[in-house]
Amino acid sequence: MKHGSPCSRRRAEQRLPPHSCALFEKGPHGDQIASGLLPDHGGRMATARSPCNPQSTVDLGAQYITRTPHYAKKHQSFYDELLAHGILKPLTSPIEGMVMKEGDCNFVAPQGLSSIVKHYLEESGAEVSFRHRVTQINLRNGKWEVSKETGSPERFDIVVLTMPVPQILQLRGDIANLISECQRQQLESVRYSSRYALGLFYEAGTKIDVPWAGQYITSNPCTRFISIDNKKRNIESSEVGPSLVVHTTVPFAVSYLEHSTEDVRELIYQQLESVLPGLPQPVVTKCQKWRYSQADSLLLAVSSPGLSSVHKQRQHAREKEREEHLGGYQLSVQLLISAQVLIPGSWDLTLCWAPS
């Protein structure tokens, strides 16, 4: 059993033999169902689809893939595969305010970033189930029994958890007893920043007249990044309307984290109109709360029975410097906010870097 889509990528990377596996996704959320927006894979690589036209999509989380020189060598085969299948293509559209490091190369996904996750899920053969929230994990006769909010428990040989650390610590059952008090304190010290994302879908033929496909904003208390997704992907169609996403600043998200989605949606839209006056009226909107967006403090652990070696490492970059890179993900196990691998008889913990 695998909880969280990035696991399929690790399985592909390790070239594991085929096994029967299941993947439980907690989403879609209530507001996504109520608005009629179609569910999709991906987690923080989620792509929302308009109920008016499923071909109209917008990336609500990661905006593009950043390949560093290190990973260009280490994961070249994966990039070759994704490029050959047309799942990735180079980002050539202008992104104002983007900070580029020497040797980095950015890519976009023509069908949305969730298409990367779908590709590896198809390779893994995993059976994907939406709206299944795992609540307990217990050891039963040498197998892990996974309980969900609804339905009967299921048993697996191996369980991989890839949700953020705070959600893992909420799980009940034997998994809670396997973590010592010292380990729990270390895990609880991991801190995340938060953001909101607002996706807007427009009717076919709508024009958004700006000279860029994306823009980092530094002068607005709410708006941090704007992307016109069809322009970012270099896709123009007379039958599919444009889509736009706006990411908020971290301070704004923290201030309104517990407010209703409807109230926050209106506030973000008001600020967006001040940045882009005369913006056309969308036909559908989707407001996404990223409670656990990026990690401020992390744990790096050596995967070994009993969690014998844990090293804490903190990011000391200023908020502005950290936010400059909110759009790019690295296509590697760094896509995992965290990964706990449970094998009967041992407790192996690997905490990977969150996207920077």
Side-chain angles (χ1 to χ4, degrees), residues 141 228 267:
N141 299 321
I228 302 171
L267 289 171

Side-chain angles (χ1 to χ4, degrees), residues 8-179:
S8 59
R9 199 207 171 287
R10 287 197 72 173
R11 184 177 179 274
E13 184 177 48
Q14 297 173 7
R15 303 300 183 192
L16 298 178
H19 292 283
S20 174
C21 59
L23 185 146
F24 300 132
E25 286 277 9
K26 185 178 67 174
H29 303 290
D31 62 336
Q32 189 174 14
I33 299 168
S35 65
L37 288 163
L38 304 180
D40 203 4
H41 313 76
R44 284 153 189 79
M45 297 175 75
T47 302
R49 300 178 181 276
S50 169
C52 303
N53 186 345
Q55 295 182 14
S56 179
T57 64
V58 66
D59 291 323
L60 292 176
Q63 295 297 298
Y64 47 86
I65 299 294
T66 299
R67 184 184 66 189
T68 64
H70 172 72
Y71 283 107
K73 296 178 180 179
K74 186 174 181 180
H75 294 145
Q76 185 62 51
S77 62
F78 293 104
Y79 283 100
D80 290 344
E81 177 185 349
L82 294 172
L83 288 165
H85 284 82
I87 298 171
L88 283 183
K89 69 177 184 181
L91 170 61
T92 58
S93 303
I95 308 293
E96 291 188 359
M98 177 190 289
V99 176
M100 289 290 293
K101 295 182 179 179
E102 184 178 355
D104 285 0
C105 184
N106 295 315
F107 299 88
V108 292
Q111 302 303 315
L113 281 180
S114 67
S115 62
I116 301 173
V117 178
K118 291 179 183 178
H119 173 74
Y120 287 115
L121 284 175
E122 290 173 1
E123 283 199 344
S124 73
E127 177 184 343
V128 182
S129 300
F130 286 107
R131 300 182 66 189
H132 284 269
R133 182 170 184 173
V134 174
T135 57
Q136 294 189 53
I137 300 179
N138 293 289
L139 192 59
R140 298 281 189 266
N141 299 321
K143 291 185 179 292
W144 291 107
E145 183 179 85
V146 178
S147 300
K148 308 176 293 293
E149 284 185 335
T150 59
S152 302
E154 300 182 49
R155 293 189 179 185
F156 302 93
D157 296 313
I158 299 174
V159 174
V160 181
L161 306 173
T162 66
M163 61 276 231
V165 170
Q167 294 176 340
I168 292 175
L169 294 177
Q170 293 171 8
L171 293 174
R172 304 191 302 274
D174 291 336
I175 182 176
N177 301 327
L178 290 172
I179 306 176

Side-chain angles (χ1 to χ4, degrees), residues 266-339:
E266 184 61 29
L267 289 171
I268 298 173
Y269 190 75
Q270 289 174 3
Q271 291 294 325
L272 178 62
E273 285 186 309
S274 70
V275 176
L276 295 177
L279 195 65
Q281 190 71 21
V283 292
V284 180
T285 63
K286 158 66 178 174
C287 188
Q288 171 72 48
K289 179 196 296 184
W290 295 115
R291 181 180 291 274
Y292 305 110
S293 172
Q294 295 166 288
D296 290 320
S297 61
L298 315 163
L299 286 175
L300 296 180
V302 178
S303 180
S304 59
L307 189 61
S308 60
S309 179
V310 178
H311 307 282
K312 189 170 182 179
Q313 194 170 99
R314 290 188 178 275
Q315 293 172 309
H316 296 291
R318 294 174 300 169
E319 174 64 21
K320 179 180 178 181
E321 293 173 335
R322 184 170 57 79
E323 283 196 322
E324 291 291 350
H325 300 88
L326 68 93
Y329 268 32
Q330 291 185 358
L331 187 59
S332 67
V333 292
Q334 288 179 300
L335 292 174
L336 304 181
I337 298 297
S338 61

